[in-house]
Amino acid sequence: MFALLRNRRRRRVLTRAAIPDSLWNATLAATPVLARLDSESQQRLRDLALLFLHEKRFEAAGGLHLEESMRIRIAALACLPILELGIDSYDGFQSVIVYPDEFLVRDREYVDDDGVVHSSDDVLSGEAWEQGPVILAWKEVEASGHGDGFNVVAHEFAHKLDLLDGTFDGMPPLHAGMRAKEWIAAFQAAYDDLRARLERGEETWLDPYASEEPAEFFAVCTEMFFDVPEEFRTEYPMLYAQLSAFYKQDPARVA
Ligand SMILES: [Zn+2]
């Protein structure tokens, strides 16, 4: 759409509105991965979160009472991955739906490797579809961003970034200066290694869920990148370097 108009509107939002201090401070206090950002980054995150709150529609589902403090916490967590990428990265969708707890998706259809269509009932803590809403369980949002390797918000929004090029394949559109060959080499090796370890019945540092498909691998790695960056850099230095180039952040340095 009209970028000039949109940018003017965004500037107006930023000069006329603000996330109240008390609610912002409560968000930081509840979310250690945001609290450890330097103050300049926190201010940028606060601006992004404000734009996010203005531009996205929040919908409560399953009887949830969605308070302002909850919307702010979701917006702040959602904007961490795009801290250096900008709010434009989230232009492709309009709404965020929040359930109180893990939610049931009935009759989910999927096609297996042999082309057979199955349907099942799935219990999910979050979900993101191309051009569709991001769906989150509040209980899982509350557990996100504590620096212990869990962040459903980073996970679902990583899917949105992955989908920016129209494919759900674990490879978002790379920036100028990044090489697809290096990205693929780093990710493929780690992904194959994870699957091989799981096949041998070994314990793995990454959640086995990451082995489901490359898109999930990227989303789980994004969670770890922001939540336990130092450990992630030690376990997967090549992936860390690629994610650091993509997100334009070096969270292990500030952690
Ligand atoms: Zn996922």
Side-chain angles (χ1 to χ4, degrees):
M1 93 168 205
F2 313 103
L4 206 74
L5 213 72
R6 189 181 52 195
N7 289 337
R8 198 179 303 158
R9 202 177 56 215
R10 283 175 176 166
R11 268 200 305 279
R12 203 163 53 221
V13 167
L14 290 175
T15 50
R16 292 190 185 168
I19 294 174
D21 283 343
S22 59
L23 290 174
W24 182 249
N25 291 336
T27 295
L28 294 182
T31 324
V33 295
L34 305 182
R36 71 188 177 206
L37 295 171
D38 61 49
S39 58
E40 195 190 312
S41 300
Q42 281 176 0
Q43 184 53 50
R44 211 160 47 246
L45 185 74
R46 191 173 177 172
D47 286 347
L48 281 170
L50 182 65
L51 293 175
F52 188 97
L53 290 164
H54 269 260
E55 295 182 12
K56 304 304 174 203
R57 194 172 56 243
F58 278 79
E59 293 171 35
L64 177 72
H65 181 66
L66 191 58
E67 302 192 13
E68 195 187 359
S69 62
M70 297 157 82
R71 289 198 301 269
I72 291 170
R73 186 142 150 203
I74 291 169
L77 279 164
C79 289
L80 178 62
I82 57 158
L83 189 59
E84 305 297 336
L85 304 179
I87 194 80
D88 287 354
S89 319
Y90 288 161
D91 277 352
F93 64 99
Q94 276 80 42
S95 57
V96 178
I97 300 172
V98 192
Y99 282 82
D101 207 337
E102 289 183 321
F103 47 95
L104 184 68
V105 179
R106 288 197 188 280
D107 299 325
R108 158 70 47 79
E109 287 201 341
Y110 67 97
V111 183
D112 69 18
D113 291 343
D114 299 321
V116 181
V117 179
H118 300 262
S119 84
S120 67
D121 293 346
D122 291 339
V123 177
L124 301 173
S125 58
E127 191 172 43
W129 289 97
E130 190 175 2
Q131 291 175 340
V134 172
I135 311 170
L136 297 165
W138 173 250
K139 221 172 168 182
E140 310 294 318
V141 173
E142 276 191 307
S144 295
H146 293 272
D148 53 14
F150 179 79
N151 192 331
V152 73
V153 185
H155 181 110
E156 298 308 330
F157 284 88
H159 284 323
K160 282 296 185 191
L161 296 173
D162 181 4
L163 283 162
L164 281 175
D165 58 6
T167 53
F168 190 66
D169 61 357
M171 186 162 144
L174 304 181
H175 311 302
M178 294 183 71
R179 290 165 186 272
K181 229 169 125 180
E182 287 172 10
W183 176 283
I184 292 166
F187 273 83
Q188 192 68 50
Y191 181 72
D192 291 345
D193 175 66
L194 177 67
R195 289 178 68 112
R197 282 171 194 264
L198 288 169
E199 241 161 65
R200 294 196 296 268
E202 291 175 20
E203 285 269 332
T204 57
W205 184 73
L206 278 177
D207 187 330
Y209 184 64
S211 71
E212 293 237 327
E213 56 178 315
E216 295 306 336
F217 189 78
F218 169 65
V220 170
C221 284
T222 293
E223 285 186 64
M224 307 309 263
F225 177 79
F226 286 109
D227 221 66
V228 282
E230 284 177 304
E231 283 177 58
F232 187 83
R233 188 176 58 183
T234 305
E235 296 282 337
Y236 291 103
M238 307 276 275
L239 292 190
Y240 185 90
Q242 291 298 318
L243 288 176
S244 185
F246 174 67
Y247 287 112
K248 301 183 180 176
Q249 296 187 56
D250 187 2
R253 193 175 49 83
V254 294

